[in-house]
Amino acid sequence: MTVLIIGMGNIGKKLVELGNFEKIYAYDRISKDIPGVVRLDEFQVPSDVSTVVECASPEAVKEYSLQILKNPVNYIIISTSAFADEVFRERFFSELKNSPARVFFPSGAIGGLDVLSSIKDFVKNVRIETIKPPKSLGLDLKGKTVVFEGSVEEASKLFPRNINVASTIGLIVGFEKVKVTIVADPAMDHNIHIVRISSAIGNYEFKIENIPSPENPKTSMLTVYSILRTLRNLESKIIFG
Amino acid sequence: MTVLIIGMGNIGKKLVELGNFEKIYAYDRISKDIPGVVRLDEFQVPSDVSTVVECASPEAVKEYSLQILKNPVNYIIISTSAFADEVFRERFFSELKNSPARVFFPSGAIGGLDVLSSIKDFVKNVRIETIKPPKSLGLDLKGKTVVFEGSVEEASKLFPRNINVASTIGLIVGFEKVKVTIVADPAMDHNIHIVRISSAIGNYEFKIENIPSPENPKTSMLTVYSILRTLRNLESKIIFG
């Protein structure tokens, strides 16, 4: 598989290290040369690329998606908080209608998107509670504090780097059905996501507690492995979920 | 999409009702004619079939899989407890290596297979607790009782109709890492599955409480919708999880 990776931060570097690629192109405004990676100086989708992975930022999703959708590629998107912006969201899905691309939203830092995607038409509401160390939100707090409660759109303005999970869920069930709670807890050294789904088919609760990676405490290794799974599924003869 | 459905029980009938198919073949030993469905008298995979859905029984999986794997089809399997049988399991995956088919295991009656499949190489153990009404296990009990605790293989011998969830998880992480607890609770009128995953990447807990369908209390509608999702993903331009 020949891949274009947008973003050579912690996730991009891990994909280069762990992925099984024939050829890797990378686009990133700030990175230096990385062995085994063909660096693009201007953004483009080379014609031998079958799969594009975005692991840069919501801004990158907004800037490059429409160009990517002109190509017959698998497009894997991680920074889904870009879609909390309704104007961009409508433009993207309108372009996708006539695009030769297929778009993949990996489960990222959570799980249970299989059940959510199966019953999406029957969901009454989804509540997402994220518990984080205060410093990861740029806060200095003594006690456990609810720092936000509201819609994905509002959360995306206040915590733009922290609502990919909520945005992906919003894309599945509709943003108006999703309620976000962000809790800062000084006793935590890692993130916990609790997703509660109420639907006519059943009620589901997913508790996700990712262990920080010693080498990159800020990177969710689950996110990296969820991208690798999506890549693997493109070619695999056995697909779960 | 032209589909062959094996099994015209509650799940098969719901797929006929809710699915979006060009043509439907069905194979079932006992069913009568169903409008819009071409009934096969002998088992075969007609050459215009692109997708085979098994929703019959573990016995059907064992009996027809090797024949199905000779065809270039998408093969969706629900009765995964067939794979608790190690001899069959090894034969199946050995055949799959040279098969033109792709095999799909939908999330079925649970969810979270996206996260489990992403981190499968790092899983230490998975504990599955299933809480059921005693009558669905053929039991008559007064109080909440642990009726089984052990491996998937043992559970499959005692409760062959009740361990598809555990078998699917066993297929992902290895059967030796899965521990099954079955609890009969007379206070329950439906099933609850709690899946606890311990791994080097993180710890995950999924609680699945499916509401029984009024028309078919024994059928998990989540299972039906998970098959419909797998079918939809085969052709969709937007794929989640």
Side-chain angles (χ1 to χ4, degrees):
Chain A
M1 187 189 296
T2 295
V3 74
L4 163 60
I5 302 176
I6 307 171
M8 269 295 139
N10 289 333
I11 293 177
K13 283 179 193 144
K14 276 282 165 197
L15 292 177
V16 171
E17 180 190 330
L18 299 171
N20 184 19
F21 306 114
E22 281 152 47
K23 188 170 177 185
I24 304 172
Y25 293 96
Y27 180 73
D28 192 314
R29 286 183 202 153
I30 54 163
S31 79
K32 296 179 194 165
D33 282 345
I34 296 169
V37 173
V38 180
R39 198 173 143 200
L40 300 175
D41 288 323
E42 279 195 26
F43 185 79
Q44 54 165 302
V45 181
S47 60
D48 56 341
V49 164
S50 69
T51 304
V52 178
V53 181
E54 177 284 322
C55 50
S57 65
E59 293 76 24
V61 173
K62 290 186 181 183
E63 195 164 344
Y64 305 117
S65 283
L66 301 186
Q67 195 175 335
I68 294 165
L69 290 183
K70 296 195 192 307
N71 299 275
V73 291
N74 300 304
Y75 179 23
I76 300 175
I77 302 177
I78 283 298
S79 306
T80 53
S81 58
F83 294 94
D85 174 347
E86 194 179 344
V87 176
F88 172 72
R89 185 163 81 232
E90 290 187 357
R91 179 117 194 254
F92 180 95
F93 288 106
S94 158
E95 284 287 320
L96 182 59
K97 276 183 196 148
N98 299 308
S99 158
R102 297 184 86 193
V103 178
F104 295 79
F105 298 101
S107 47
I110 56 159
L113 298 192
D114 45 8
V115 64
L116 196 62
S117 166
S118 297
I119 59 154
K120 63 189 172 64
D121 297 335
F122 305 94
V123 169
K124 291 171 195 158
N125 61 70
V126 181
R127 286 172 298 143
I128 306 163
E129 184 180 345
T130 298
I131 307 163
K132 284 173 170 275
K135 64 175 178 340
S136 81
L137 294 162
L139 299 170
D140 182 19
L141 294 168
K142 288 277 178 294
K144 191 173 172 175
T145 312
V146 175
V147 295
F148 177 80
E149 202 156 35
S151 71
V152 186
E153 287 89 340
E154 290 168 85
S156 75
K157 284 165 197 157
L158 295 166
F159 307 97
R161 303 276 153 190
N162 288 285
I163 58 130
N164 286 334
V165 163
S167 296
T168 305
I169 291 174
L171 281 172
I172 298 176
V173 301
F175 281 78
E176 73 286 358
K177 290 189 182 161
V178 183
K179 190 175 162 193
V180 177
T181 303
I182 300 175
V183 177
D185 184 350
M188 298 288 298
D189 66 348
H190 60 283
N191 299 347
I192 294 180
H193 299 288
I194 304 169
V195 180
R196 296 181 179 89
I197 303 163
S198 164
S199 87
I201 305 294
N203 297 311
Y204 309 100
E205 185 175 314
F206 298 140
K207 188 176 173 190
I208 312 287
E209 190 166 358
N210 293 318
I211 297 166
S213 149
E215 32 173 337
N216 287 312
K218 277 187 156 181
T219 301
S220 154
M221 285 305 291
L222 178 56
T223 299
V224 173
Y225 286 108
S226 81
I227 300 170
L228 292 168
R229 167 181 176 251
T230 300
L231 290 164
R232 205 166 56 226
N233 278 356
L234 291 173
E235 297 182 324
S236 179
K237 285 173 123 173
I238 310 172
I239 293 166
F240 290 100
Chain B
M1 186 189 292
T2 294
V3 74
L4 163 60
I5 302 175
I6 307 171
M8 270 294 139
N10 289 334
I11 292 177
K13 281 179 195 144
K14 276 281 165 197
L15 292 177
V16 171
E17 181 189 330
L18 300 171
N20 185 18
F21 306 114
E22 281 152 47
K23 188 172 178 184
I24 304 172
Y25 293 96
Y27 181 72
D28 192 314
R29 286 184 201 155
I30 53 166
S31 81
K32 295 179 193 166
D33 281 345
I34 297 169
V37 173
V38 180
R39 197 172 142 198
L40 301 175
D41 288 325
E42 278 196 26
F43 185 78
Q44 53 165 303
V45 181
S47 59
D48 57 341
V49 164
S50 69
T51 305
V52 178
V53 181
E54 177 284 321
C55 49
S57 65
E59 293 75 25
V61 173
K62 291 186 181 183
E63 194 164 344
Y64 304 117
S65 284
L66 301 185
Q67 194 175 336
I68 294 165
L69 290 183
K70 296 197 194 305
N71 299 274
V73 292
N74 300 305
Y75 179 22
I76 300 174
I77 303 177
I78 283 298
S79 305
T80 53
S81 58
F83 295 94
D85 174 346
E86 194 178 346
V87 175
F88 172 72
R89 186 162 80 232
E90 291 187 354
R91 179 116 193 255
F92 180 94
F93 288 105
S94 157
E95 284 285 319
L96 181 59
K97 277 184 195 145
N98 299 309
S99 159
R102 297 183 87 194
V103 178
F104 295 79
F105 298 101
S107 46
I110 54 157
L113 298 191
D114 44 8
V115 64
L116 197 62
S117 168
S118 297
I119 58 155
K120 64 188 172 60
D121 298 336
F122 304 93
V123 169
K124 291 171 195 159
N125 61 70
V126 181
R127 288 171 298 142
I128 305 163
E129 183 179 344
T130 299
I131 307 163
K132 284 173 170 275
K135 64 176 176 347
S136 80
L137 295 163
L139 299 170
D140 183 17
L141 294 168
K142 287 278 177 295
K144 191 173 172 176
T145 313
V146 174
V147 295
F148 178 80
E149 203 157 33
S151 71
V152 186
E153 287 88 341
E154 291 168 85
S156 75
K157 284 165 198 157
L158 295 166
F159 306 97
R161 303 275 153 191
N162 289 286
I163 58 128
N164 286 335
V165 163
S167 296
T168 305
I169 291 173
L171 282 173
I172 298 176
V173 301
F175 281 78
E176 73 286 357
K177 291 188 181 161
V178 184
K179 189 173 163 195
V180 177
T181 303
I182 300 175
V183 176
D185 184 351
M188 299 287 299
D189 67 348
H190 59 284
N191 299 346
I192 294 181
H193 299 287
I194 304 169
V195 180
R196 294 180 181 91
I197 303 164
S198 164
S199 86
I201 306 294
N203 298 311
Y204 309 99
E205 185 174 315
F206 300 142
K207 187 174 173 192
I208 311 288
E209 190 165 357
N210 293 319
I211 297 167
S213 150
E215 33 173 338
N216 287 311
K218 275 189 159 180
T219 301
S220 154
M221 284 306 290
L222 178 56
T223 300
V224 173
Y225 286 107
S226 80
I227 300 169
L228 291 169
R229 170 182 175 250
T230 300
L231 290 164
R232 207 167 52 226
N233 279 355
L234 292 172
E235 297 182 325
S236 179
K237 286 173 121 175
I238 309 172
I239 294 165
F240 290 100

